[in-house]
Amino acid sequence: MQRLYTMFPRSWPGLALALLRLAVSVHIAALAMEHGRAAPASLGLLLLALLLLLGFLTPFAAAAAALAELALTLLGDAWSLSAALLLLDPVLLLLLGPGAYSCDGRLYGRRLLTLPD
């Protein structure tokens, strides 16, 4: 994970990434509730939403969320500009990374090394 992202930003950029993760996870959870007919698919979408909300395995979850949104948009009959713009959010999250306020940031973020005397 550390090789994928060189930085896990803190402060305002980290908060913005946390809000982006929140927005994407709420959208994915709403898609799961909307397509509740297929229980395994809905559970998979809810798992993706949870992973994105926590910021755990963010690159994989964001890529899977982008593919799931693309598939649901193409399978549905309501293709619109807003649906196309919502497809960009997981892609942006994939490119930008999880930020410091995430599980990935805690696990793979910056470390302070203290060398013994």
Side-chain angles (χ1 to χ4, degrees), residues 14-93:
L15 181 62
L17 287 170
L19 289 175
L20 180 62
R21 282 195 338 264
L22 174 69
V24 172
S25 64
V26 166
H27 180 67
I28 294 294
L31 283 176
M33 298 303 166
E34 182 181 317
H35 298 284
R37 298 179 302 271
S42 292
L43 288 176
L45 288 173
L46 288 175
L47 178 64
L48 277 179
L50 180 65
L51 287 175
L52 287 172
L53 184 65
L54 295 175
F56 185 66
L57 299 174
T58 305
F60 305 112
L67 290 175
E69 281 195 43
L70 180 64
L72 289 173
T73 303
L74 291 177
L75 291 175
D77 54 351
W79 177 261
S80 65
L81 181 62
S82 61
L85 289 175
L86 283 174
L87 282 171
L88 287 178
D89 288 345
V91 174
L92 292 175
L93 192 56

